[in-house]
């Protein structure tokens, strides 16, 4: 089992515990990003690829904002499902760099929302949105493969919107071969 030590070298934490502690710290940061008084949420879906289907994304949002209603829209402004009201409390924009969108659509979306979160995809978003995830400046941490990249970036946008992301579907590492090596030797009964 891999262990890591702190600067002083006094205590050791195994890798899995370190990962869980990091996730807990991230969750605390996400909770601090929550927006108060949210009743209507508009999510603009990415045209490059959605990692979550609409219903699982709705579930993630409703776990963080239980008293809200979630509406979806495509990058070009067409509603997915029911039409969103003229003004919303929270805008989550997954539109990424290079994805086609009507000219000044980001300004139109921003005027509709009390609070806006999104990706830095140009067209003044860095100045007009309240919180931005800039994937261009964080390119060292982003995976290269398209769907893995979209998953990472969309998770970061959701975190900035105060939506906790709990990865529950990952399979833990197989420890069957390493556990036996860490057990003390068996004693013979004489």
């Amino acid at each position: 089992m891999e262990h890591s030590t702190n600067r002083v070298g006094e205590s050791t934490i195994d890798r899995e515990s370190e990962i869980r502690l990091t996730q807990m710290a991230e969750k605390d940061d996400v909770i601090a990003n929550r927006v108060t008084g949210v009743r209507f949420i508009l999510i603009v879906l990415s045209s490059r690829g959605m990692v979550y289907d609409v219903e699982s994304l709705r579930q993630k949002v409703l776990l963080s904002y239980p008293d809200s209603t979630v509406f979806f829209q495509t990058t070009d402004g067409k509603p997915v499902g029911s039409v969103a009201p003229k003004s919303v409390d929270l805008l989550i924009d997954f539109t990424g760099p290079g994805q086609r969108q009507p000219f000044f659509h980001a300004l139109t979306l921003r005027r509709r929302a009390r609070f806006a979160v999104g990706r830095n995809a140009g067209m003044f978003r860095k100045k007009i949105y309240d919180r931005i995830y800039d994937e261009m400046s964080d390119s060292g941490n982003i995976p290269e493969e398209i769907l893995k990249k979209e998953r990472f970036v969309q998770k970061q946008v959701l975190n900035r919107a105060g939506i906790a992301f709990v990865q529950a579907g990952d399979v833990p590492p197989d420890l069957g071969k390493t556990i036996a090596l860490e057990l003390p030797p068996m004693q013979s009964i004489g």
Side-chain angles (χ1 to χ4, degrees):
M1 186 177 282
E2 293 181 30
H3 293 281
S4 65
T5 60
N6 61 9
R7 285 184 282 161
V8 181
E10 295 172 357
S11 65
T12 61
I13 300 176
D14 64 296
R15 185 172 175 264
E16 187 175 343
S17 297
E18 188 175 340
I19 290 170
R20 299 296 178 224
L21 288 171
T22 304
Q23 287 176 345
M24 287 172 41
E26 286 176 2
K27 186 176 180 188
D28 291 341
D29 292 341
V30 169
I31 290 172
N33 286 335
R34 290 248 168 94
V35 180
T36 58
V38 173
R39 291 185 47 224
F40 298 111
I41 299 173
L42 176 62
I43 299 176
V44 179
L45 302 172
S46 170
S47 64
R48 178 158 297 142
M50 283 305 298
V51 182
Y52 314 105
D53 63 287
V54 173
E55 292 307 317
S56 70
L57 191 56
R58 183 185 317 270
Q59 179 193 21
K60 288 181 188 328
V61 171
L62 290 177
L63 285 173
S64 296
Y65 297 102
D67 296 332
S68 65
T69 306
V70 183
F71 300 94
F72 295 95
Q73 190 180 81
T74 62
T75 306
D76 59 354
K78 295 178 183 167
V80 176
S82 58
V83 179
K86 294 287 183 202
S87 64
V88 294
D89 298 312
L90 178 60
L91 166 70
I92 302 172
D93 191 356
F94 287 132
T95 305
Q99 296 178 18
R100 298 191 65 139
Q101 195 173 41
F103 204 58
F104 295 116
H105 188 62
L107 286 170
T108 306
L109 290 171
R110 180 61 182 112
R111 277 189 225 117
R112 290 177 66 181
R114 182 171 55 92
F115 197 86
V117 179
R119 296 163 74 170
N120 188 20
M123 294 307 294
F124 320 112
R125 282 195 175 103
K126 209 169 200 177
K127 293 181 181 179
I128 63 173
Y129 281 10
D130 298 302
R131 292 186 191 139
I132 285 286
Y133 176 69
D134 191 2
E135 58 199 273
M136 301 300 181
S137 65
D138 195 21
S139 61
N141 297 332
I142 300 176
E144 291 295 321
E145 200 268 317
I146 278 270
L147 284 178
K148 288 181 182 178
K149 177 180 180 178
E150 282 297 312
R151 172 175 288 154
F152 180 83
V153 170
Q154 289 176 19
K155 176 185 171 189
Q156 296 303 317
V157 172
L158 288 173
N159 287 348
R160 281 163 179 71
I163 298 168
F165 180 86
V166 179
Q167 191 76 17
D170 286 347
V171 178
D174 183 17
L175 301 176
K177 295 180 181 177
T178 58
I179 290 175
L181 296 175
E182 295 175 1
L183 295 174
M186 293 181 62
Q187 295 180 6
S188 60
I189 301 176

